[in-house]
Amino acid sequence: MIAIMWQFDVKKGREGEFEQLYGVDGEWTAMNRHTRSYLGSSFLRDQNRSARYIVIEYWSEMVVYERHRAYRADAIASLEGRRTALVESVEPLGIFTALDVPDRAGPTWSQRDGS
């Protein structure tokens, strides 16, 4: 299992829109749920800097994640275009081997639905 992490610094006043786009019921997460190897994500907001977020996506393997990115390139580009209006910066933090993951429950965990 891999974990892909990004840090987002959101424009002041656009936090709610960003949360709607990337949160548990957001379009970004909904798009990922169409792929069987998407296992879920954690969506975190910094307690000290309310405009800073971390998104961690969990995927079964890198090759399937890369295929997903290629297959959904148009949808990804569209959502990333919308994201550009909401954020000051996006920083990829890396791709990690997931050694331990949280239980798939709770408000920060978004798991793939059964479809």
Side-chain angles (χ1 to χ4, degrees), residues 59-71:
W59 294 82
S60 64
E61 56 186 310
M62 188 65 190
V63 69
V64 180
Y65 167 76
E66 289 170 340
R67 278 190 225 139
H68 165 75
R69 297 270 316 169
Y71 179 74

Side-chain angles (χ1 to χ4, degrees), residues 94-115:
I95 299 171
F96 300 83
T97 299
L99 302 175
D100 189 18
V101 297
D103 291 334
R104 295 182 185 177
T108 62
W109 182 267
S110 169
Q111 64 183 355
R112 186 178 65 80
D113 65 12
S115 59

Side-chain angles (χ1 to χ4, degrees), residues 3 5 9 13 15 21 25-26 33 35 38-39 42 44-46 49 54 59 62 73 81 87 92 97 111:
M5 295 179 61
D9 290 312
E15 295 89 352
L21 184 62
D25 296 319
R33 285 185 180 137
T35 304
Y38 172 72
L39 302 174
S42 294
L44 310 169
R45 185 176 188 178
D46 191 316
R49 289 180 37 202
I54 300 289
W59 294 82
M62 188 65 190
V87 301
T97 299
Q111 64 183 355

